[in-house]
């Protein structure tokens, strides 16, 4: 594959691959009898789960639908995965709600917490497999059936359909997951095309999530590009 070919999925997938291990670590080291810690884990899972749901919706709408129109039968596998992954995610949230039930005993909370930890690993593994399939199979089919210009058009549609609050939430996971060149390119595009107040909010997220030296390099590169 040529590096100039646009990938419609790699950037969010890097964010997803960055977010899951953090959830997994937290799910492994918290005390499930501590309701505040469980609430905190649930808030993280719900926020990230919303992003996963929105990501699947965007792929269904803007990638799989046009692909299915040109290569009938090729979208079914990914669409089924999306439904299955969403159901697994909802099960996980339900499990945390059971742990948060004031009537649960400490022993039951710990036992259910361990089940949650294992099922989170299952969801993580399923997402890793799903993303590889999309990058190796679905993305390759897109390159076969769509021109680079059409792909750029789809990419633009995807960006325009992510609400600003969701985009800011994505940035927490995507910015530290990208390499410096990818980060510069993505934020350079936002600096040129997005409203200045929104771009400033993105830079605040960048400052919070990046190591200081990486943030400084990014600021310098963006100042040169402006
Ligand atoms: Fe997907």
């Amino acid at each position: 594959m040529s590096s100039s070919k646009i990938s419609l999925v790699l950037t969010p997938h890097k964010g997803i691959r960055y977010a899951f291990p953090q959830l997994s670590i937290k799910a492994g080291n918290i005390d499930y009898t501590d309701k505040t810690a469980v609430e905190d884990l649930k808030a993280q899972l719900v926020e990230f789960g919303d992003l996963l749901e929105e990501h699947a919706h965007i792929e269904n709408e803007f990638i799989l639908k046009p692909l299915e129109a040109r290569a009938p039968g090729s979208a079914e596998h990914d669409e089924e995965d999306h439904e299955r992954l969403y159901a697994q995610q909802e099960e996980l949230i339900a499990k945390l709600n059971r742990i948060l039930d004031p009537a649960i005993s400490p022993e039951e909370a710990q036992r259910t917490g361990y089940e949650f930890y294992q099922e989170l690993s299952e969801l993580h593994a399923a997402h890793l497999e799903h993303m590889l399939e999309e990058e190796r199979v679905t993305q390759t089919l897109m390159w076969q059936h769509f021109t680079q210009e059409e792909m750029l058009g789809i990419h633009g549609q995807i960006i325009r359909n992510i609400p600003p609050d969701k985009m800011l939430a994505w940035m927490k996971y995507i910015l530290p997951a990208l390499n410096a060149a990818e980060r510069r390119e993505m934020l350079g595009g936002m600096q040129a095309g997005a409203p200045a107040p929104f771009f400033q909010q993105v830079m605040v997220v960048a400052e919070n999530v990046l190591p200081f030296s990486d943030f400084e390099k990014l600021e310098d590169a963006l100042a040169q590009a402006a």
Side-chain angles (χ1 to χ4, degrees):
M1 116 192 175
S2 142
S3 61
S4 63
K5 280 183 179 172
I6 183 167
S7 169
L8 298 172
V9 292
L10 183 57
T11 303
H13 284 186
K14 279 199 167 187
I16 293 168
R17 288 185 177 104
Y18 181 86
F20 261 115
Q22 295 178 60
L23 264 174
S24 192
I25 290 164
K26 191 174 274 190
N29 69 21
I30 66 161
D31 171 2
Y32 284 92
T33 64
D34 176 348
K35 299 271 191 260
T36 308
V38 178
E39 283 284 7
D40 181 47
L41 175 63
K42 183 185 160 188
Q44 199 171 326
L45 177 63
V46 166
E47 183 199 62
F48 178 52
D50 278 351
L51 296 182
L52 289 173
E53 197 187 337
E54 189 233 7
H55 173 65
H57 168 72
I58 279 186
E59 285 178 346
N60 287 344
E61 249 349 83
F62 300 109
I63 299 177
L64 299 178
K65 221 180 237 181
L67 179 61
E68 183 67 23
R70 292 195 189 179
S74 56
E76 202 178 320
H77 178 272
D78 288 347
E79 280 170 355
E80 281 173 7
D81 269 5
H82 288 160
E83 281 177 33
R84 183 175 45 84
L85 293 168
Y86 180 66
Q88 276 180 265
Q89 185 180 306
E90 289 292 285
E91 262 299 302
L92 279 172
I93 292 170
K95 196 145 264 181
L96 287 184
N97 284 335
R98 283 207 287 286
I99 299 170
L100 287 167
D101 185 333
I104 198 168
S105 69
E107 296 72 27
E108 186 65 6
Q110 280 162 346
R111 194 188 58 75
T112 312
Y114 181 49
E115 276 176 21
F116 171 85
Y117 182 57
Q118 289 180 318
E119 287 165 27
L120 179 68
S121 281
E122 270 178 350
L123 182 66
H124 184 180
H127 267 282
L128 289 174
E129 214 173 310
H130 170 71
M131 289 188 290
L132 279 175
E133 167 93 15
E134 286 180 335
E135 290 171 22
R136 288 175 171 160
V137 180
T138 315
Q139 180 63 77
T140 305
L141 282 168
M142 290 297 285
W143 284 325
Q144 283 166 5
H145 292 280
F146 292 81
T147 65
Q148 176 77 349
E149 210 171 33
E150 287 172 323
M151 295 282 276
L152 286 168
I154 293 172
H155 184 252
Q157 269 184 318
I158 291 173
I159 301 293
R160 284 193 297 280
N161 274 278
I162 301 175
D165 60 326
K166 286 273 190 313
M167 186 62 97
L168 283 173
W170 269 116
M171 287 300 115
K172 285 196 285 188
Y173 303 114
I174 287 177
L175 285 171
L178 297 180
N179 65 43
E182 290 167 336
R183 213 179 280 140
R184 211 168 46 232
E185 193 184 331
M186 186 178 72
L187 264 57
M190 281 189 192
Q191 181 173 237
F198 178 74
F199 177 69
Q200 278 315 314
Q201 284 180 285
V202 173
M203 289 304 283
V204 170
V205 176
E207 192 168 12
N208 287 335
V209 297
L210 294 176
F212 183 66
S213 61
D214 286 354
F215 178 70
E216 260 194 336
K217 268 186 225 158
L218 178 65
E219 266 199 325
D220 288 351
L222 292 171
Q224 280 172 25

